[in-house]
């Protein structure tokens, strides 16, 4: 058996390749297209998405307005900042994610405008499209190539990452670090990424023209509503306190939904055989086996997390609106059973959370490397 090694940054520079499709990908695509042809439904531009957008933006606006202009007690502020954080996470899951994947509408301009909701929240949609659509969606769970599983040195999420002593307690302290995710994204990560013009070893073009204007204007709009306007009405420490409180719940919500799909015991973390950056599995099989669905029967949760509890379907069909994922899941699950592709799903949110906890504990306490594929 050849020695194992992680997919390192070198391999990530466009050199990681997947085996050819052996029929699964073509067949599952054929069946999903047949589903849309049969039902007459559109893959994008669902009226449900436009309604959802209105509800989420209204939720955001009302929470913010009441927090800044009406709240007079600490508890009112705490309640409203929680509501604001959940509305912001909802916009992240339910509007910008579809839009920046090109799954919101068949018209590029609509996707672009809806994608700007991420800039409104203080994170560049331009940079996110490279980080998420390429780094994470192509190289899912490959350490060194998937930027989303890189929490080093604070946490070891993949067996291919080195283990440090402090990781033995990561299942306890990682939650506290989610507090910093949002401020770090707002004020550090985007600027670092821009300066380096690289994400997990892969280069990308720096924004120019309209993209550069959107990036700068987005940051300015965010600073205006999150800091400048509140500072006109409240002391600085009150503004900071509620920015911190909102960031804590927002970061935790975003991180947990991501973690439950990719960093659980049932998700695979492949490593390439030594000397090769070619995985023996085809891309579509890799996507299914590195991803886990959860709480598919919970309609409220499905609505709120923008179908990201159906991440297997999202990874196979990122350009189809998330409102269709529950039905597509039935097609994907059946095809997986026929083609012998491992399809994993947790029945409940709690079950997925418990599995994430056990995965963190295992990664912090064992040195085991995943099996080669
Ligand atoms: Zn995505």
């Amino acid at each position: 058996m050849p020695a194992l090694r992680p997919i390192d940054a070198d391999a990530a520079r466009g050199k990681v390749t997947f085996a050819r499709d052996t029929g699964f990908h073509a067949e599952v695509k054929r069946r999903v297209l047949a589903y849309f042809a049969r039902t007459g439904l559109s893959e994008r531009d669902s009226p449900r998405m436009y309604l959802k957008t209105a509800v989420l933006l209204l939720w955001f606006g009302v929470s913010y307005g009441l927090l800044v202009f009406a709240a007079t007690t600490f508890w009112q502020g705490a309640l409203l900042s929680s509501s604001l954080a959940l509305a912001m996470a909802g916009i992240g899951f339910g509007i910008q994610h579809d839009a920046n994947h090109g799954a919101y509408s068949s018209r590029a301009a609509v996707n672009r405008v809806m994608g700007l909701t991420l800039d409104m929240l203080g994170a560049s949609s331009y940079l996110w499209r490279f980080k998420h659509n390429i780094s994470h969606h192509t190289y899912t769970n490959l350490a060194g190539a998937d930027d989303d599983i890189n929490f080093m040195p604070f946490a070891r999420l993949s067996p291919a990452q080195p283990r440090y002593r402090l990781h033995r307690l990561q299942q306890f302290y990682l939650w506290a670090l989610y507090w910093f995710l949002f401020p770090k994204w707002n004020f550090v990560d985007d600027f670092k990424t821009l300066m380096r013009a690289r994400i997990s070893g892969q280069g990308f073009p720096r924004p120019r023209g309209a993209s550069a204007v959107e990036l700068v204007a987005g940051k300015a709009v965010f600073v205006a509503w999150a800091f400048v306007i509140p500072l006109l009405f409240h002391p600085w420490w009150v503004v900071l306190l509620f920015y911190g409180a909102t960031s804590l719940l927002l970061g935790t919500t975003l991180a947990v939904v991501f973690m439950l799909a990719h960093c659980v015991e049932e998700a695979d973390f492949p490593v390439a055989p030594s000397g090769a950056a070619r995985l023996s599995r085809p891309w579509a099989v890799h996507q299914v086996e590195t991803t886990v669905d959860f709480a598919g029967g919970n309609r409220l949760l499905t609505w709120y997390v923008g179908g990201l509890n159906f991440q297997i379907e999202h990874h196979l069909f990122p350009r189809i609106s998330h409102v269709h994922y529950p039905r597509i899941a039935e097609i994907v699950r059946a095809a997986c059973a026929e083609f012998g592709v491992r399809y994993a799903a947790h029945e409940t949110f709690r079950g997925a959370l418990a599995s994430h906890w056990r995965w963190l504990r295992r990664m912090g306490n064992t040195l085991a490397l995943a099996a080669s594929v």
Side-chain angles (χ1 to χ4, degrees), residues 270-333:
V271 290
S274 183
R278 184 176 175 83
L279 301 174
S280 61
R281 282 189 298 203
W283 176 85
V285 176
H286 174 87
Q287 296 300 320
V288 175
E289 296 192 344
T290 53
T291 310
V292 178
D293 284 3
F294 61 91
N298 187 334
R299 293 182 66 172
L300 181 66
L301 183 120
T302 301
W303 183 88
Y304 177 66
V305 301
L308 291 178
N309 52 334
F310 288 98
Q311 286 243 20
I312 292 176
E313 290 66 32
H314 172 59
H315 272 258
L316 288 175
F317 300 100
R319 296 202 64 233
I320 291 181
S321 171
H322 75 256
V323 299
H324 300 300
Y325 291 165
R327 296 305 304 277
I328 290 176
E330 295 165 19
I331 299 168
V332 173
R333 198 187 274 259

Side-chain angles (χ1 to χ4, degrees), residues 97 101 128 132-133 136-137 308 311 314-315 318:
H97 186 232
H101 268 296
W128 190 86
H132 182 81
N133 296 6
H136 171 62
H137 268 272
L308 291 178
Q311 286 243 20
H314 172 59
H315 272 258

